[in-house]
């Protein structure tokens, strides 16, 4: 997703985006990684430091909690998007499906998982929580 992260539907300057939690939850339920690239807004709203900081933070949170990464270089326009796309492509070419069993109860539930390996210098990217479907 290439976005400024600015929420034009709700407006306001709150540091908490009310739609972010539900978006993360839906992505986690469907096992969707959301990679984000910050691209500033051309209007005056997107040039305010506080708004830019909050927008980048929300994009970062969206990516990290769904098992992906967020890309940005300060608050300016990226010179070239190609390096971001190449890095994302490298991640997509090296992903693996992890399956596990668990009891989601009657409605399903979110749970945190921990993934480790005996191999040194290996880093895992995974969502903050996974959804265990109803039994």
């Amino acid at each position: 997703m290439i976005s400024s992260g600015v929420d034009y539907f709700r407006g306001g300057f709150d540091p908490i985006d009310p739609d972010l939690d539900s978006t993360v939850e839906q992505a986690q339920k469907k096992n969707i990684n959301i990679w984000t690239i910050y691209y500033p807004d051309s209007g005056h709203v997107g040039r305010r430091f506080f708004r830019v900081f909050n927008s980048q933070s929300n994009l970062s949170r969206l990516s990290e909690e769904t098992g992906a990464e967020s890309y940005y270089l300060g608050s300016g326009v990226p010179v070239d998007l190609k390096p971001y796309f190449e890095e994302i492509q490298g991640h997509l070419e090296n992903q693996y499906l992890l399956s596990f069993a668990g009891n989601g109860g009657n409605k399903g539930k979110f749970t945190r998982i921990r993934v480790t390996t005996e191999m040194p210098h290996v880093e895992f990217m995974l969502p903050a929580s996974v959804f265990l479907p109803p039994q």
Side-chain angles (χ1 to χ4, degrees), residues 91-104:
H91 288 297
L92 293 175
E93 290 172 352
N94 291 290
Q95 51 180 345
Y96 301 90
L97 178 63
L98 176 64
S99 298
F100 53 93
N103 184 355

Side-chain angles (χ1 to χ4, degrees), residues 3 6 9 21 26 29 59-61 64 73 79-81 83 89 107 109 128 130 132:
S3 174
V6 175
F9 296 110
D21 288 332
Q26 290 301 314
K29 281 183 177 179
L59 290 173
S60 253
R61 184 172 159 226
E64 289 174 14
L73 292 172
V79 177
D80 187 5
L81 296 176
Q89 182 66 35
K107 296 182 180 180
K109 69 178 181 180
V130 294
L132 297 175

Side-chain angles (χ1 to χ4, degrees), residues 46-94:
R47 290 193 297 259
R48 296 180 180 149
F49 177 76
F50 184 73
R51 175 72 62 100
V52 169
F53 176 77
N54 284 338
S55 299
Q56 287 179 343
S57 295
N58 286 341
L59 290 173
S60 253
R61 184 172 159 226
L62 176 62
S63 292
E64 289 174 14
E65 291 193 15
T66 62
E69 284 190 14
S70 183
Y71 300 94
Y72 53 90
L73 292 172
S75 60
V77 177
V79 177
D80 187 5
L81 296 176
K82 186 177 179 186
Y84 297 143
F85 294 141
E86 288 173 347
E87 186 169 331
I88 292 169
Q89 182 66 35
H91 288 297
L92 293 175
E93 290 172 352
N94 291 290

Side-chain angles (χ1 to χ4, degrees), residues 8 24 40 59 65 112 121:
Y8 290 102
V24 168
L59 290 173
E65 291 193 15
R112 293 191 170 277
H121 312 295

Side-chain angles (χ1 to χ4, degrees), residues 11-26:
F13 296 94
D14 294 333
I16 305 298
D17 184 335
D19 298 317
L20 186 57
D21 288 332
S22 62
T23 303
V24 168
E25 182 178 310
Q26 290 301 314

Side-chain angles (χ1 to χ4, degrees), residues 118-129:
E118 294 176 358
M119 295 179 63
H121 312 295
V122 173
E123 180 182 334
F124 294 107
M125 292 174 51
L126 56 137
S129 296

